[in-house]
Amino acid sequence: MLIAGDNWCPVNCRDSDKNKGFMIDVATEALAISGYEVRYIEMPWLRAIHQAREGKIHAIVGAFKDDAPDFLFPKVPILRLSPNTLFTLTDSTWIYKNQHSLNKIRLGAVQGYDYGHLLNAYIKSHRSSPNKYITLITGDDVVARSLRLLTSKRIDAYVDAGPVVWYQAKQLGISDKIKSVGSVSPLEPAYIAFSPRLENSEQLTLALDLGVLRLQLDGRLASIAEKYGLRDENYR
């Protein structure tokens, strides 16, 4: 079966990497229990959603429910993340207080990502603003490109999941140049979500649930999480 998503390491990394990411490793082992072989393909997020919706691939990885509400979601989430943690440069004095405080900055976000109802609404209402409140990034390597926009001061803040930003910042050698300044919402479950078009999606969803429960019981889920530096709060 084919799973696709953009590079959102350590959740899912490059398809050419030896370590393809926490969710890919979990899905590979969990689905193997029911006899399924997983193949992971890296592609831009909006394209992955479209291809799954058309039935050209089986599933997308790292999805929140509002990313693709028509998809089939497992009952057991593999991961919990806040999709809307805000990051600035370390010397910035701005912090997130409420939605109105966002009007004081240039915010970078990824087109097509689900940031929760509050931030989704803000982005939708400001994306065409002449004041350039929002910069939406698309295509490949969106996290790395967004962080480069931040460090070059072309945006004032970037919003994404904390573990993803810190992982990428470490890869870029800029961990000391950025800081977290708050989240718009608490941790939310993230999933591998299955195509609404394919007849075997329900069967695959059940197989993934059963496999993840097995990995939880035997401690394997914790071992995989530790390999990618994820905390207990992210997967328990």
Side-chain angles (χ1 to χ4, degrees):
M1 60 161 293
L2 294 175
I3 298 176
D6 59 348
N7 181 2
W8 209 43
C9 214
V11 179
N12 55 291
C13 305
R14 294 189 182 279
D15 53 14
S16 58
D17 288 350
K18 178 182 178 182
N19 295 319
K20 300 190 188 309
F22 172 73
M23 271 198 172
I24 300 302
D25 286 3
V26 170
T28 298
E29 294 195 24
L31 287 166
I33 293 170
S34 296
Y36 295 104
E37 182 178 349
V38 169
R39 181 185 168 203
Y40 166 57
I41 306 172
E42 181 189 357
M43 67 176 67
W45 184 237
L46 290 178
R47 187 191 304 169
I49 293 173
H50 177 73
Q51 295 237 345
R53 191 167 277 138
E54 293 292 312
K56 296 177 180 178
I57 59 175
H58 294 90
I60 55 175
V61 56
F64 297 95
K65 287 195 172 180
D66 283 346
D67 279 316
D70 54 321
F71 280 45
L72 279 74
F73 285 80
K75 295 187 182 301
V76 181
I78 298 175
L79 196 59
R80 289 178 175 84
L81 300 167
S82 173
N84 45 38
T85 299
L86 292 149
F87 289 85
T88 64
L89 296 178
T90 52
D91 59 0
S92 172
T93 59
W94 180 86
I95 58 173
Y96 175 76
K97 295 180 180 178
N98 52 47
Q99 187 172 342
H100 298 295
S101 63
L102 294 169
N103 291 331
K104 299 178 180 180
I105 61 160
R106 298 165 298 168
L107 178 65
V110 179
Q111 187 167 347
Y113 276 19
D114 172 34
Y115 294 107
H117 296 303
L118 185 66
L119 200 50
N120 285 345
Y122 176 83
I123 291 171
K124 184 177 180 180
S125 64
H126 288 78
R127 60 188 301 174
S128 301
S129 167
N131 295 319
K132 305 294 184 185
Y133 286 128
I134 302 290
T135 296
L136 289 177
I137 299 95
T138 61
D140 297 315
D141 295 323
V142 287
V143 182
R145 287 165 47 216
S146 298
L147 289 176
R148 291 189 185 103
L149 288 177
L150 181 61
T151 55
S152 64
K153 299 185 177 180
R154 293 171 62 189
I155 57 176
D156 301 311
Y158 174 58
V159 59
D160 208 327
V164 173
V165 173
W166 286 123
Y167 186 95
Q168 189 63 65
K170 183 178 180 180
Q171 302 302 308
L172 295 172
I174 60 168
S175 297
D176 59 336
K177 295 182 179 180
I178 67 170
K179 65 181 179 181
S180 169
V181 291
S183 296
V184 180
S185 67
L187 301 179
E188 299 177 27
Y191 301 86
I192 289 174
F194 291 85
S195 168
R197 187 81 175 266
L198 298 176
E199 292 182 358
N200 65 340
S201 286
E202 185 173 356
Q203 181 179 344
L204 289 168
T205 303
L206 291 172
L208 182 59
D209 273 340
L210 289 171
V212 169
L213 289 171
R214 177 81 66 84
L215 296 182
Q216 287 176 341
L217 290 171
D218 66 15
R220 181 60 187 150
L221 190 70
S223 297
I224 299 172
E226 184 178 0
K227 180 171 76 170
Y228 290 101
L230 295 169
R231 300 176 179 178
D232 284 1
E233 65 178 10
N234 296 126
Y235 66 90
R236 290 191 187 276

